[in-house]
Amino acid sequence: MSSKGGPELFVLTDQRHPLEVEASILPDVLECLLQHIIFHRALVGKAITPKDMVLLDDLFYVKCGDTSIDKQVRDSAQAACKALKTRDRGGSVTLTFFERVAGGLLGEKMVGPWEEWSVHVLVRTEPAFGHREELLRRKELEARVRELLWTVQKLVNSHRDHLPKEGLNDASSVCYPFDIKDPSKF
């Protein structure tokens, strides 16, 4: 947790500088970013099998290779895509990690957030003017996503002191419990 008692917050993009994505590839882009963050936060000394994934033409990322995580991320990316397509201003998708801590009247484990990632997304609905503009848009998106992946890597490497020692997810032995929220859940 941060020094203020709440979760550590990482805003990758905001309303002023949203990630603009074509509707057709939005679920894949969200899945890429979410899987990348989860992969880097899942390395807690457990054995994982990283899987290399390809997005766009020349953009690679890794994911944990855990089927329960894959399903949760895929379902959340689809739900976020659906919610974002109905909003003119776009919206934020957040990934929050939790830890299990002792508490309550009978000493049961409670869940508390310790880290939150946010990306503001704007769905691009206007068609490209020809093949050349479509290629230009794709290269711009690829560069922006690559930059965000590097930003995630830099942040996880420089912010390790707030990682919980315990409290892994019951459903997955490689990851802390997490929740993904899209604009329809705010």
Side-chain angles (χ1 to χ4, degrees):
M1 292 197 185
S2 72
S3 60
K4 296 178 183 168
E8 188 86 25
L9 301 175
F10 300 108
V11 178
L12 295 175
T13 63
D14 58 22
Q15 269 186 305
R16 292 183 328 217
H17 302 98
L19 177 63
E20 293 186 45
V21 183
E22 307 287 335
S24 62
I25 60 171
L26 179 58
D28 296 330
V29 170
L30 289 175
E31 191 171 339
C32 165
L33 291 170
L34 294 168
Q35 289 279 12
H36 189 72
I37 295 166
I38 292 167
F39 175 81
H40 284 288
R41 281 305 186 220
L43 297 177
V44 291
K46 303 291 181 182
I48 64 168
T49 306
K51 286 188 152 186
D52 291 327
M53 303 299 292
V54 180
L55 176 70
L56 303 172
D57 298 325
D58 191 30
L59 187 61
F60 299 88
Y61 68 99
V62 291
K63 64 181 190 175
C64 293
D66 181 295
T67 55
S68 64
I69 292 172
D70 288 348
K71 180 176 179 0
Q72 185 177 354
V73 170
R74 189 172 25 273
D75 292 349
S76 296
Q78 292 290 338
C81 182
K82 186 176 179 181
L84 287 165
K85 284 181 180 179
T86 63
R87 301 173 59 92
D88 293 338
R89 301 175 324 278
S92 291
V93 177
T94 62
L95 168 62
T96 305
F97 289 98
F98 298 91
E99 67 177 318
R100 298 205 190 296
V101 294
L105 296 175
L106 303 174
E108 71 270 7
K109 298 285 185 175
M110 299 178 59
V111 177
W114 59 272
E115 185 172 87
E116 184 170 281
W117 296 79
S118 176
V119 59
H120 193 85
V121 180
L122 184 62
V123 180
R124 205 178 241 168
T125 56
E126 70 281 354
F129 297 111
H131 184 66
R132 184 178 176 145
E133 184 180 351
E134 187 176 322
L135 287 176
L136 180 62
R137 283 183 177 184
R138 188 156 288 231
K139 288 297 178 190
E140 287 173 354
L141 176 62
E142 189 175 302
R144 184 81 192 275
V145 172
R146 182 176 281 113
E147 173 190 331
L148 291 174
L149 294 175
W150 276 111
T151 299
V152 167
Q153 189 140 358
K154 284 188 272 186
L155 288 169
V156 298
N157 286 338
S158 65
H159 290 82
R160 295 175 187 259
D161 56 336
H162 69 284
L163 294 176
K165 303 287 187 259
E166 297 180 23
L168 289 177
N169 192 342
D170 292 336
S172 171
S173 64
V174 300
C175 187
Y176 295 101
F178 64 88
D179 184 43
I180 301 169
K181 289 191 174 131
D182 61 64
S184 70
K185 296 179 181 178
F186 288 103

